[in-house]
Amino acid sequence: MQVRDYNRNNWFKNRRSLFRLLINALLLISLALSLLTLLQQLFTDSLTGSYFYPLTLSLLVIQYFVHRIHLSWGGAVAFLTMGAGSISLALVSDDIALAYLSGALLPVLLRFVLAQKWVLLFIPIWLSLLLFIHSYRVQEELISELYTHLITLSYSLLVYGSVAVLFNRIYSLVFYKECKENSDLTSEFIDNYQIHQHFDWLKNKNPDGVVRVYGVYIKNILDSVGKSSESSIEFKESVTQFNQLLREVCPAGASIGRLDNGVYVLMSERRFWDAFERGLRQLKKEATDLSPIVVSTDTPNDSTDLDSALHNLDTVFVRATKEKTDFARFNLKDRDHLNGQTDIQSYEVSQAFANHEIQMFFQPKVDIKDNNRLVGAEALVRWIHPEKGLLTPKDFVDLLESSPYRLTFINSVVEQSAHFCETMKQSGLPISVSFNLSANDLQDLRVTYELSQVQEKYGFSAGELQIELSEQETDVSLDNLKRSLDAVKELGYSIALDDFGTGMSSLAYFQNLPADTIKLDRAFIKDIHLNPSSEHLTKMVVYLSKAEGLTVVAEGVENASEADRLLKLGVDQVQGFLFGKPMPATEFLQYYGLELVEDDV
Ligand code: C2E
Ligand code: MG
Ligand code: MG
């Protein structure tokens, strides 16, 4: 069997391919002879040659084991018909041994096709049935009619099955040829269906049932899927070379799969993990031009079935790309990511904007030094999804930001925040309203333009609108960031450094960017009254901010003990569930006992 051959040499590989070729040739000959026999039997009523049916069946079984591939529907039908044909003919010629053989082969075969052990239970059922028929066979007259029907049925199935097999062969030959020319040689490897078959086979044959699934991702190939006819000859050649290399570095006999989206999939039981990993490391060393990213996940440890394992691989791949690593294994970070994920499709985004499902909620900010007076609000986006309910930014902001609706989204955030600020002013309780923008957003001149338009439209005085800039990882240089912040400050926006202390560049941001406010992340606020190190850090930030004349806001305050401690430490403003959750504009006004004044802006 293939897996046993992993560490053998090329000589063995060649012998094995010869063996495969031989089996294929024998199978084709036997299939042809079976068809001839069938024709002969139809016209001459002779039973000569009926031994070809069980022979074909056996060869199909052998081929199945050698290639360990799935049989297409035509192949499966052929199996059944060859089986049924050989059984009935064996009975007609009164050869019970042959009938037994064929009868036993069928469930064995089905067990592997279906990868379900219970199918084997059919062996005794089959054999008893055959015995039963045979015992009646002796009293020929009684069941001769039943027999005739059985044989007629077998014949028709046999014809149907054979035609189906031939059709499948011709179809795959013609179709795969075309695929091969147009696509990047996908057909060289086992396909999605066969990958599933192989997985089931490995899982069942292993004593511990653990299968490691590897994914090999190549960015150029992933990008080229679906437009392969446009790919250059050089690209096709480099893919062909890569395929060759992949085969060489993998343990001999490994089944290599290729999904429709261009991802290579390999699977291994525990004892071959080292061999696979050595090979894949070598692959990365040698295929530098295509820079493959190799990721892996284990079943049943990380996921119970193959589909979830493949989904895991995609998650690890996205993380590996972000972390700029090219060999990664599924870990707890990936599990957290998957747990927190809501499956949003991009087509839903367009609907969302059309139906005004994307709305800003507002969370109060209060001055703790002035009796918790309301001084501001942060605009936080929510998606009121018709089926999935209220979605928070982690479920969809990344998707929005990478969609064609990115600018529509940002403009809507700015406009809704400005509108709310104006509404509060009109209602007699003017406050400052902040909204979140990323460093990349601020580099986009279209965003800066929108900021200037909004400012012109409402004519706010300086600081009434505030931009919260998060410390998330960014490619934007500090210099560029500073320039764009200077520009928006010119327009009248104030700047808050959001999630302060969580990123890598807090102090550099603090020193170089024209910030007005520091927002301490909830990570330092949670249980601050019980955690001396959070307290020291807050004290330090308050000290630095005061020295520079900045306002300090603490985020995520949930209880009075935290608020008391923050007041003692000199924090200016607080925001958190203790003072109000993020809420829609109308609810916010009600919360503060305000009437909505219709305005003409
Ligand atoms: P952020 O700007 O730091 O927002 C504060 C987050 O803390 C909000 O989560 C808020 O609901 C949550 N929060 C507030 N008070 C408490 C509390 O007492 N306890 C706890 N556990 N959480 C509290 P949310 O709304 O899920 O937003 C998460 C992040 O998504 C925001 O962090 C912000 O970075 C981003 N975000 C929100 N709205 C927008 C937006 O319009 N545009 C962009 N680009 N990002 C946004
Ligand atoms: Mg924020
Ligand atoms: Mg924050």
Side-chain angles (χ1 to χ4, degrees), residues 140-414:
E140 234 166 74
E141 316 79 54
L142 270 182
I143 55 154
S144 63
E145 209 170 316
L146 172 80
Y147 231 49
T148 323
H149 289 315
L150 191 68
I151 290 175
T152 319
L153 181 73
S154 302
Y155 276 173
S156 22
L157 280 177
L158 187 59
V159 173
Y160 176 72
S162 314
V163 171
V165 167
L166 283 177
F167 173 76
N168 265 1
R169 280 250 170 253
I170 294 165
Y171 178 78
S172 61
L173 273 179
V174 174
F175 184 71
Y176 278 162
K177 191 162 183 293
E178 199 176 292
C179 275
K180 225 174 167 131
E181 274 163 12
N182 287 334
S183 80
D184 42 8
L185 306 166
T186 314
S187 51
E188 280 180 48
F189 300 118
I190 61 172
D191 65 13
N192 196 325
Y193 187 94
Q194 293 162 330
I195 291 172
H196 280 76
Q197 291 285 311
H198 184 62
F199 175 79
D200 287 341
W201 181 81
L202 267 182
K203 193 175 76 182
N204 290 332
K205 95 184 240 297
N206 251 323
D208 64 359
V210 180
V211 179
R212 179 162 292 173
V213 186
Y214 299 93
V216 180
Y217 291 71
I218 295 176
K219 196 175 171 307
N220 292 350
I221 293 183
L222 300 183
D223 292 346
S224 77
V225 169
K227 38 184 168 167
S228 32
S229 50
E230 293 160 23
S231 357
S232 66
I233 296 176
E234 294 85 49
F235 176 68
K236 280 185 184 168
E237 268 171 15
S238 68
V239 174
T240 316
Q241 276 167 14
F242 179 82
N243 291 350
Q244 181 63 31
L245 184 64
L246 183 60
R247 258 191 298 262
E248 279 166 19
V249 298
C250 279
S255 289
I256 305 174
R258 184 82 175 277
L259 300 176
D260 294 340
N261 60 5
V263 177
Y264 296 85
V265 176
L266 300 138
M267 283 162 277
S268 162
E269 55 191 303
R270 195 184 289 276
R271 60 206 175 111
F272 296 110
W273 287 356
D274 281 350
F276 266 94
E277 268 150 45
R278 255 197 319 276
L280 289 170
R281 283 184 199 282
Q282 193 187 335
L283 176 84
K284 284 201 300 96
K285 233 186 266 163
E286 291 185 26
T288 41
D289 52 334
L290 288 175
S291 341
I293 293 185
V294 179
V295 297
S296 66
T297 180
D298 292 347
T299 63
N301 314 15
D302 304 332
S303 54
T304 43
D305 58 66
L306 180 61
D307 286 326
S308 325
L310 295 177
H311 190 53
N312 284 353
L313 290 182
D314 286 344
T315 311
V316 188
F317 166 65
V318 172
R319 175 172 61 82
T321 321
K322 269 193 200 147
E323 292 177 357
K324 300 194 169 48
T325 167
D326 51 11
F327 214 105
R329 184 156 295 158
F330 186 84
N331 65 23
L332 286 177
K333 245 194 239 172
D334 302 309
R335 164 136 0 265
D336 287 349
H337 177 82
L338 285 172
N339 288 344
Q341 214 178 40
T342 312
D343 192 18
I344 302 283
Q345 306 293 323
S346 43
Y347 69 84
E348 293 174 76
V349 174
S350 60
Q351 302 282 325
F353 279 103
N355 302 334
H356 304 289
E357 290 165 13
I358 304 230
Q359 287 184 16
M360 299 315 287
F361 277 36
F362 299 92
Q363 186 178 31
K365 285 183 201 167
V366 302
D367 183 344
I368 32 169
K369 292 177 169 163
D370 188 5
N371 212 14
N372 298 338
R373 181 174 60 90
L374 178 74
V375 286
E378 177 176 9
L380 294 159
V381 68
R382 295 291 180 267
W383 183 342
I384 305 159
H385 197 285
E387 284 139 33
K388 299 183 176 105
L390 190 69
L391 303 181
T392 55
K394 72 171 181 352
D395 296 325
F396 64 90
V397 163
D398 284 350
L399 179 77
L400 281 188
E401 299 236 308
S402 56
S403 78
Y405 294 91
R406 176 177 160 267
L407 212 60
T408 315
F409 166 56
I410 296 172
N411 290 351
S412 149
V413 168
V414 180

Side-chain angles (χ1 to χ4, degrees), residues 42 157 327 417 481:
L42 286 180
L157 280 177
F327 214 105
S417 305
L481 196 53

